[in-house]
Amino acid sequence: MRVSHFPRAALVLAACAACSSDQPTGSGGATLELSPRSATLQPCATTQFQARVHNAPDPGVTWTSRDPAIADVDAAGTVTGRGIGIATIVASLRTDPARSDSVQVRVEGGTLSLTVSGGVADTIEAVPAQPLVARATWAAGCAAAAVTLRFTSPSITSAAIGRDAAILLGLPGQAPRDSVVEVATDSTGAAQPSVRLGRKAGTYRVRVQAPQGAPADSVSFTVRGGAPYRLAVTPRDTALYPGAAVALRVDAEDRFGNAPSLPITFASRRPEVATVTSTGVVSALSVGRVSVVLSWTGGSDSAALSVVPRGRLVAYTHRYGSGETAALYTFGLDGSDYHPLIAGPLGFNTRGPRWLPGTEQVVFHDLDPAGSGFLRLMVVDPDGGLRPLRQPPASDEGESGAQPTRDGQWVYFSLVPGYQRVEIWRVRPDGTGAQTVSTHTGFALHDYGPSPSPDGSRVAFVTNRTATGSGAVIRVMQVATGTELALDLPGLLPRWSPVGEEIAYLSDGRLRVVRADGGGDVAVGSGFLADDREGSVAWSPDGKWLVTCATGPVLGDRSLVLVNRASGETLPLRFTATHRLCEADWHP
C-alpha cells in the first residue's frame, strides 16, 4: 500500500446564499432554509447541516447529494466527504419536494493509498476470471471515490493497453511505448478496467498511479501458450537394444508460435516392450515394436521404437540419381557405430555385400578396377583397404552375388563365362580353387543367386530353366552329384537359414520362407513392400530373424526391416532410410 498527502484545509462554516444554486423556499407561510450555507472538509470527515422549517404542517425533510462520489448525506443531514471536488447537498420537504434548499460542500486534502489486485496467469486470448481491481482509500479508512487512476503498460513491443478502459496484454508488434487508459474510481473507491490476454506468451506488468504524483502500485499478468498446434518429436522413430534408454524431445507450438502451457503426458502402448516416464524417457525392456503416445487436452501424437536384438549389419546405399555417392555402411542394429566401410564411385544399385566368416572383411561386387568393364568380386577390409577376391581369366565376363559358406571354406558366386551364359561357381576365400557348380550350362541358360546350406552339401539358386523357358524359379541342388530338387517356386534372392532347413526368398514384394523340400511355403512380416529386384535377404546367426530391404512411398526410397521368423513381427530400422540402405547382411 502506498500513500500520498494533499494540503489540509480548515473547516469553514459560513452563511453564503451566493454559494447555493437553490434559495430558501416558502409558500403560504412555510419556509425551508439550510445552515450552514457551505462547508469544507477532508475525505472521510463529516459535518452536520440543519434544515429550519417554518409554518409547515409536516416538518419532515428529504436529504440528497447531487454528487455522491464527492460527498454523500444521510437522512439526518450528516455529510461525509468521499472524493476531491465540490458536491451540492439538497434538502426538500417530504410533503412538497418542490420546496427545497441547497448548499455546497468542498472536499479537499487528505492522505490517499492504493492497492491493486487481480494479476493472474491464463492462456492466450483469455479473459481472466479474476478482474483487475485498483482500490483507492483515504487514510481515515473510507473509499476514495471519483479519483482518476492511470493504468500504464510497460514499454515493450508485446504489450499494450487499449481504449475504452480495456487493457490488452500480449499483442505482438505493438510500438515500444507506454500506453495509458484512465479510469475513475466508483463510490466504493474501485477502478476496474477490463483485461484481455493476447496471442503472445509472456509476463506483463501493469502500473497503476493516482493523480498529483501519488506513488504507484503494479500487478503482473502472465500469458501462457495455448494447446499444442504444431508438435515435433525427436526421435520420431528409433531403435534401441534392451536395457538402453532414450529421452524424447518434444518441440511444440500453439497456433501463434508460443510454447504450449497444457501438459503433455506420455504412455507406452506395450509396457512389456518399453516403458516411458512422465518426462518422456523411454526405457527398452524386451525385443519388439512399441508406440509411445503423447497426449494433451484436445490432441495426441506418437513416437515409435523398435527394440531390436543385438547384431551388426553391412548394407549398401540404394542410389536413385546417377550423381549420388554410393557407399557400404556397417552399423549396429540400434544405429550405433554407424560408419562407411568404403565410399566413392561405386556404380549401380546392387553390390551384394556379404561378411566373410571369421573375419571383419566384406566381399561384394563392383566394376573391375582393371578397367575390363565387367563386374568383379572385391574384398574390403575394416580400414577400407580394397582388393580383388581372385584373378579371373580374361574370358570371364563378370562375377557377382557372392555367398560364403557358414564354415568359411567356400565363397559361392554367379559367373558369366561367356555371352548369354550364367553359371554357379565357388572359390576359396583366398581366391584359389575356383570351380563350377552348375551342371546345366549353355547358351541362354542362367543359374545364379546361389545360397549354400549350413553344411555346404546343397545350394539354393535361381534358374531360368523353366518349362516355358521364361521367368525365374528357385531350385535346390546337391553339390556333390548335381541332382536338383525342382521346387520351381517363382521368386528371387534365396537365402538358406544358417541353422535349419528353411530358405527365405522374395516374390512379388513379399518376404517368404519355404522348407528345403518345398513344403510350408509362407509369407512372413507385414506392413512393408520388399524390394525383390535390388534388395536381398539375410538371416541372423541364430536363425530367428530376417533382414530385408523395403521400398518407401517416394520413388527411390529404401530402408531396412527386421522380421521375426516365428511371429512375423516387423521391426523397421528407420535410421537406415537416411542413406536409403539396402542389401544388408548380418555379421555371423
Side-chain angles (χ1 to χ4, degrees):
M1 179 178 292
R2 299 174 181 162
V3 299
S4 62
H5 299 276
F6 291 91
R8 299 181 59 85
L11 180 64
V12 177
L13 299 176
C16 177
C19 296
S20 174
S21 60
D22 296 274
Q23 299 295 323
T25 60
S27 175
T31 62
L32 172 61
E33 183 178 4
L34 298 181
S35 65
R37 300 306 300 167
S38 65
T40 299
L41 66 160
Q42 294 183 16
C44 303
T46 61
T47 188
Q48 184 67 47
F49 284 89
Q50 302 294 330
R52 297 184 179 89
V53 180
H54 302 283
N55 301 323
D58 181 0
V61 174
T62 300
W63 295 89
T64 59
S65 172
R66 291 178 181 171
D67 307 284
I70 298 175
D72 59 22
V73 61
D74 63 13
T78 302
V79 175
T80 303
R82 299 298 182 189
I84 304 300
I86 297 175
T88 299
I89 306 299
V90 179
S92 58
L93 293 178
R94 277 198 295 263
T95 57
D96 186 2
R99 301 174 183 272
S100 64
D101 193 9
S102 65
V103 293
Q104 289 185 329
V105 176
R106 181 183 299 275
V107 182
E108 60 186 20
T111 302
L112 184 67
S113 62
L114 281 178
T115 57
V116 183
S117 63
V120 298
D122 211 333
T123 54
I124 56 172
E125 296 190 320
V127 176
Q130 181 178 352
L132 169 61
V133 179
R135 192 171 299 277
T137 307
W138 297 111
C142 67
V147 175
T148 300
L149 303 182
R150 294 166 57 89
F151 295 80
T152 308
S153 72
S155 297
I156 55 178
T157 59
S158 55
I161 292 183
R163 299 177 180 176
D164 303 323
I167 297 179
L168 310 177
L169 299 173
L171 301 180
Q174 297 296 320
R177 58 181 177 81
D178 284 353
S179 299
V180 178
V181 63
E182 295 184 343
V183 183
T185 58
D186 59 18
S187 60
T188 67
Q192 184 176 317
S194 63
V195 176
R196 192 184 73 190
L197 306 185
R199 299 175 176 179
K200 187 171 180 62
T203 299
Y204 307 103
R205 183 168 294 276
V206 177
R207 188 169 180 263
V208 186
Q209 191 172 19
Q212 300 182 18
D217 201 355
S218 62
V219 67
S220 293
F221 287 83
T222 298
V223 182
R224 298 194 301 250
Y229 179 71
R230 299 180 185 87
L231 186 144
V233 184
T234 306
R236 173 68 70 173
D237 197 328
T238 192
L240 291 177
Y241 289 138
V246 64
L248 297 180
R249 173 182 172 183
V250 181
D251 295 314
E253 294 181 348
D254 66 14
R255 56 198 175 102
F256 301 116
N258 303 297
S261 61
L262 298 179
I264 297 175
T265 61
F266 300 86
S268 171
R269 286 185 173 171
R270 295 183 67 189
E272 73 277 11
V273 174
T275 59
V276 61
T277 68
S278 60
T279 59
V281 177
V282 182
S283 297
L285 302 180
S286 61
V287 173
R289 182 74 169 168
V290 62
S291 292
V292 176
V293 180
L294 294 75
S295 303
W296 60 90
T297 302
S300 64
D301 202 345
S302 65
L305 172 67
S306 292
V307 183
V308 296
R310 293 187 178 274
R312 188 158 150 245
L313 301 180
V314 62
Y316 179 69
T317 305
H318 178 89
R319 300 189 311 159
Y320 178 59
S322 60
E324 297 177 1
T325 299
L328 292 176
Y329 285 89
T330 180
F331 49 91
L333 288 173
D334 65 346
S336 60
D337 195 23
Y338 187 100
H339 66 277
L341 272 180
I342 182 172
L346 303 177
F348 307 101
N349 269 334
T350 55
R351 281 292 165 268
R354 295 290 182 263
W355 296 100
L356 289 174
T359 75
E360 292 299 310
Q361 297 175 327
V362 173
V363 59
F364 68 102
H365 53 262
D366 194 15
L367 290 175
D368 187 355
S372 68
F374 299 128
L375 292 177
R376 298 301 183 198
L377 294 179
M378 307 295 295
V379 176
V380 60
D381 297 322
D383 59 2
L386 195 63
R387 62 176 176 84
L389 176 64
R390 72 185 190 110
Q391 297 297 329
S395 59
D396 288 354
E397 297 184 1
E399 51 193 18
S400 62
Q403 184 59 64
T405 56
R406 184 172 175 79
D407 61 10
Q409 295 300 306
W410 292 99
V411 177
Y412 282 71
F413 63 98
S414 302
L415 176 68
V416 181
Y419 181 69
Q420 282 294 322
R421 296 167 56 194
V422 185
E423 300 172 359
I424 297 172
W425 281 59
R426 66 181 183 177
V427 67
R428 297 294 183 181
D430 61 2
T432 64
Q435 57 185 246
T436 183
V437 177
S438 292
T439 57
H440 296 78
T441 63
F443 179 76
L445 298 182
H446 297 172
D447 291 351
Y448 57 97
S451 179
S453 62
D455 62 4
S457 65
R458 292 161 292 172
V459 61
F461 65 100
V462 180
T463 183
N464 69 343
R465 293 183 282 110
T466 63
T468 62
S470 62
V473 296
I474 296 174
R475 293 183 179 178
V476 174
M477 178 175 58
Q478 292 285 347
V479 175
T481 65
T483 303
E484 293 183 2
L485 175 62
L487 302 180
D488 283 357
L489 296 170
L492 296 167
L493 304 167
R495 191 73 182 272
W496 210 302
S497 167
V499 296
E501 287 292 295
E502 290 188 322
I503 299 169
Y505 68 100
L506 300 179
S507 179
D508 292 329
R510 297 300 307 273
L511 174 61
R512 306 186 68 87
V513 175
V514 64
R515 290 198 307 270
D517 61 5
D521 184 26
V522 294
V524 294
S526 62
F528 68 94
L529 185 67
D531 184 351
D532 54 12
R533 293 296 175 184
E534 298 178 347
S536 67
V537 181
W539 291 84
S540 63
D542 60 8
K544 294 181 179 180
W545 291 88
L546 291 153
V547 58
T548 191
C549 175
T551 61
V554 178
L555 184 64
D557 283 357
R558 296 292 187 276
S559 62
L560 300 176
V561 295
L562 301 182
V563 179
N564 185 283
R565 169 60 189 95
S567 67
E569 182 174 20
T570 300
L571 306 181
L573 302 180
R574 298 297 189 199
F575 66 89
T576 62
T578 302
H579 290 114
R580 298 195 291 269
L581 296 185
C582 207
E583 291 192 288
D585 191 43
W586 206 304
H587 194 284

